[in-house]
Amino acid sequence: DITFEDFHYQLQIWDTAGQENYRSIGGSYYKNSDCCILVFDKTVHKSFEEIEVWRRNFIERSNLKEEEQFPFVLIGNKNDLKDRVEVSEEEIVSKCTINKYIYYDVSAKVDEDKFDMLVMEIVKQILRREKSVRRQLINEDFKLRLEKNKSKKNESCCN
């Protein structure tokens, strides 16, 4: 439970640990999600390569309609093991640019306090998206009402 801008939110974070057996049940967890956090191990390049598989799986199983506006967060873990890093900064920047990921570089071992900051940043992204979607729905409703009014004005009383 967190409070942000005088609103209370309950967050549920489902960690599948990248295990294959969770791919089949992921859909039930993914539905109605407000954000998708994709985490990779910077010391294992294969975990970075699998990010797109997990993303596609999430999109398919969540029936995501607005992929471009949906907040995906990419987290590179184990930045404390600099001598063992297998994923280059260039690869990370490229993936984030192509997919519009919000990126955080962390160490679960060292950066315990950073998790709270990450959660707040993710909540902000979700709220920005909700405001944008709400604004779009209001604009669409306004356009529909305008169209209805135009058609009523064009009707004549004595056809």
Side-chain angles (χ1 to χ4, degrees), residues 16-27:
T16 61
Q19 295 178 23
E20 186 70 35
N21 56 333
Y22 284 107
R23 289 186 195 199
S24 62
I25 62 170

Side-chain angles (χ1 to χ4, degrees), residues 92-147:
I92 296 169
V93 168
S94 175
K95 188 175 289 288
C96 290
T97 302
I98 291 167
N99 295 296
K100 299 177 182 158
Y101 291 146
I102 302 156
Y103 179 71
Y104 296 99
D105 194 49
V106 301
S107 166
K109 186 177 183 180
V110 178
D111 297 329
E112 288 180 36
D113 295 336
K114 204 169 190 179
F115 183 74
D116 290 339
M117 189 254 336
L118 283 174
V119 168
M120 293 310 291
E121 284 300 313
I122 292 166
V123 168
K124 288 178 190 176
Q125 291 297 324
I126 293 167
L127 291 175
R128 282 188 203 118
R129 177 179 172 269
E130 284 181 4
K131 286 179 185 175
S132 172
V133 169
R134 226 179 284 126
R135 199 174 307 119
Q136 183 178 354
L137 290 173
I138 289 168
N139 287 340
E140 287 174 11
D141 182 51
F142 182 70
K143 287 177 190 173
L144 285 173
R145 282 188 276 141
L146 275 178
E147 290 300 317

Side-chain angles (χ1 to χ4, degrees), residues 50-98:
E50 297 240 331
I51 289 296
E52 293 314 306
V53 173
W54 283 102
R55 179 178 191 223
R56 280 193 307 275
N57 184 279
F58 176 85
I59 290 168
E60 289 168 9
R61 293 180 177 264
S62 66
N63 297 319
L64 191 59
K65 305 274 188 281
E66 299 168 350
E67 183 180 334
E68 303 82 33
Q69 294 180 348
F70 191 84
F72 283 92
V73 176
L74 183 63
I75 297 178
N77 189 28
K78 297 189 182 178
N79 71 0
D80 58 309
L81 302 175
K82 300 203 184 314
D83 57 327
R84 293 178 43 202
V85 169
E86 294 183 4
V87 182
S88 72
E89 292 300 316
E90 291 82 20
E91 289 175 288
I92 296 169
V93 168
S94 175
K95 188 175 289 288
C96 290
T97 302
I98 291 167

